[in-house]
Amino acid sequence: MVTKKQSRPDIFRADCLSRDTLQLIADEWTPLVVYALEEGAMRFSQILKRIDGISTKMLTQTLRAMERNGLVQRVVHAVVPPIVEYSLTPLGQTLVKPVNMLQMWAYEHLQEVARARMAYDQSDHPPIQEETATRVQQR
Amino acid sequence: MVTKKQSRPDIFRADCLSRDTLQLIADEWTPLVVYALEEGAMRFSQILKRIDGISTKMLTQTLRAMERNGLVQRVVHAVVPPIVEYSLTPLGQTLVKPVNMLQMWAYEHLQEVARARMAYDQSDHPPIQEETATRVQQR
DNA sequence: CGGAATCCGTCCTGATACTG
DNA sequence: CAGTATCAGGACGGATTCCG
């Protein structure tokens, strides 16, 4: 758990597996799904309602990817109408803590970020196009 | 720093600022730039060389966004040829630890993920399209 | 209910070329 | 050196429709 050098192979290389793995969770929805499932197993429609703004398509994609990567388990109950439950695997559980750290960081520094943005936008810095500034903000 | 409920407002809501802030770092390059700059101030071209696979465009975009969000400081030395140095702000420094946790997670569970993928791909699960499986993998 | 499939616009991305 | 400008492609994401 220490920050010893060996824990960090060459993440700067494009073919670094570590980098590739890191990329798994560096997207818009995965962290939120981790959060949602942290509360226990959920059905598709429950997650859909829990995470405001996600479409069925994105949720399906995200869940599939997470399942493939071993983060999520998908259990189908053979009843009509079908019931499908998703839950975190043990591997997925290990993600909870790190992702939580991120979330806490976001919460704690939210105001500083907002202030920095305002300051930046008011000065005459090279203006940033909306897109690049906030990323995927157009819902 | 504790995981008390109040530290987590409704991140599931689309208009949650916390969620918005979280999104800042949930992209392909920002974590890598944080890593690179953790080692100290760097010039544009140095970062470019350090982070394998990033284009000047993406690096510029990422740095601009990070600057706007108060994570990175940009210092221009008025000489010819120009020298521009980037470094983490105090706010940016606070990101180092959480991002490090993610990186460690990635490194520690890299094999489990790889195994899960293989298992998934070999069974007859609904095959995942390349794109959704690994995301932005086509370099 | 839990998706899969399709359609389709938007945005992002990587080259390439150019500038102060 | 440190970018910006431009452009073309492809990916991404939403909405809708259909199915077991």
Side-chain angles (χ1 to χ4, degrees), chain A residues 56-104:
Chain A
T56 71
K57 180 178 178 177
M58 290 322 297
L59 182 53
T60 301
Q61 273 188 23
T62 305
L63 285 172
R64 281 280 183 284
M66 291 177 75
E67 188 190 356
R68 186 172 107 101
N69 295 319
L71 303 178
V72 153
Q73 189 185 11
R74 178 173 182 267
V75 178
V76 183
H77 300 271
V79 296
V80 264
I83 291 181
V84 182
E85 284 206 320
Y86 295 90
S87 54
L88 290 178
T89 62
L91 178 58
Q93 304 272 1
T94 65
L95 248 181
V96 170
K97 203 169 50 183
V99 171
N100 236 302
M101 299 268 311
L102 272 192
Q103 143 64 11
M104 285 199 291

Side-chain angles (χ1 to χ4, degrees), chain B residues 46-57:
Chain B
Q46 287 182 304
I47 308 177
L48 199 65
K49 261 173 286 189
R50 190 92 178 91
I51 303 180
D52 191 22
I54 196 172
S55 63
T56 71
K57 181 178 179 180

Side-chain angles (χ1 to χ4, degrees), chain B:
Chain B
M1 195 56 65
V2 197
T3 322
K4 47 180 173 181
K5 278 310 174 188
Q6 298 136 340
S7 313
R8 303 174 54 196
D10 204 352
I11 200 178
F12 295 111
R13 294 186 43 188
D15 59 353
C16 174
L17 268 182
S18 207
R19 178 158 148 187
D20 182 70
T21 307
L22 182 58
Q23 235 81 98
L24 290 187
I25 37 186
D27 78 87
E28 185 171 3
W29 301 116
T30 301
L32 291 177
V33 172
V34 171
Y35 275 123
L37 292 184
E38 182 186 4
E39 301 167 353
M42 291 181 85
R43 301 177 58 174
F44 186 86
S45 52
Q46 287 182 304
I47 308 177
L48 199 65
K49 261 173 286 189
R50 190 92 178 91
I51 303 180
D52 191 22
I54 196 172
S55 63
T56 71
K57 181 178 179 180
M58 289 321 297
L59 182 53
T60 301
Q61 271 188 23
T62 305
L63 286 172
R64 281 280 183 284
M66 293 178 74
E67 188 190 356
R68 186 173 106 102
N69 294 319
L71 303 178
V72 153
Q73 189 184 13
R74 177 171 182 267
V75 178
V76 182
H77 299 270
V79 296
V80 264
I83 290 180
V84 182
E85 284 205 320
Y86 294 91
S87 54
L88 290 179
T89 61
L91 178 57
Q93 302 273 2
T94 66
L95 250 180
V96 170
K97 202 170 49 183
V99 170
N100 236 301
M101 299 268 311
L102 272 193
Q103 142 65 9
M104 285 199 291
W105 179 89
Y107 180 67
E108 286 166 10
H109 299 282
L110 172 170
Q111 303 221 332
E112 289 176 73
V113 170
R115 251 183 275 121
R117 279 190 193 173
M118 284 189 12
Y120 187 95
D121 293 345
Q122 291 195 351
S123 58
D124 61 348
H125 285 289
I128 299 186
Q129 306 88 298
E130 283 308 315
E131 334 124 30
T132 88
T134 317
R135 302 186 61 87
V136 200
Q137 194 62 347
Q138 77 311 344
R139 165 169 296 98

Side-chain angles (χ1 to χ4, degrees), chain A:
Chain A
M1 195 57 63
V2 197
T3 321
K4 48 179 174 181
K5 281 309 178 189
Q6 297 133 342
S7 314
R8 302 174 54 194
D10 204 352
I11 200 177
F12 295 111
R13 292 187 45 189
D15 59 353
C16 173
L17 267 182
S18 207
R19 179 158 148 185
D20 182 70
T21 307
L22 182 58
Q23 235 81 98
L24 290 188
I25 37 185
D27 78 87
E28 185 172 3
W29 302 115
T30 302
L32 291 177
V33 172
V34 170
Y35 276 124
L37 293 184
E38 182 187 3
E39 301 167 353
M42 293 180 85
R43 301 178 55 176
F44 186 86
S45 50
Q46 288 181 303
I47 309 178
L48 198 65
K49 262 173 287 189
R50 189 94 178 90
I51 303 180
D52 190 22
I54 196 172
S55 63
T56 71
K57 180 178 178 177
M58 290 322 297
L59 182 53
T60 301
Q61 273 188 23
T62 305
L63 285 172
R64 281 280 183 284
M66 291 177 75
E67 188 190 356
R68 186 172 107 101
N69 295 319
L71 303 178
V72 153
Q73 189 185 11
R74 178 173 182 267
V75 178
V76 183
H77 300 271
V79 296
V80 264
I83 291 181
V84 182
E85 284 206 320
Y86 295 90
S87 54
L88 290 178
T89 62
L91 178 58
Q93 304 272 1
T94 65
L95 248 181
V96 170
K97 203 169 50 183
V99 171
N100 236 302
M101 299 268 311
L102 272 192
Q103 143 64 11
M104 285 199 291
W105 179 89
Y107 181 67
E108 285 166 11
H109 299 282
L110 173 169
Q111 304 222 331
E112 288 176 74
V113 170
R115 251 183 275 121
R117 279 190 192 172
M118 285 190 11
Y120 186 95
D121 292 345
Q122 292 194 350
S123 58
D124 61 348
H125 285 289
I128 300 185
Q129 304 89 300
E130 283 308 313
E131 335 123 31
T132 86
T134 318
R135 300 187 63 86
V136 202
Q137 193 64 345
Q138 78 309 346
R139 167 168 299 96

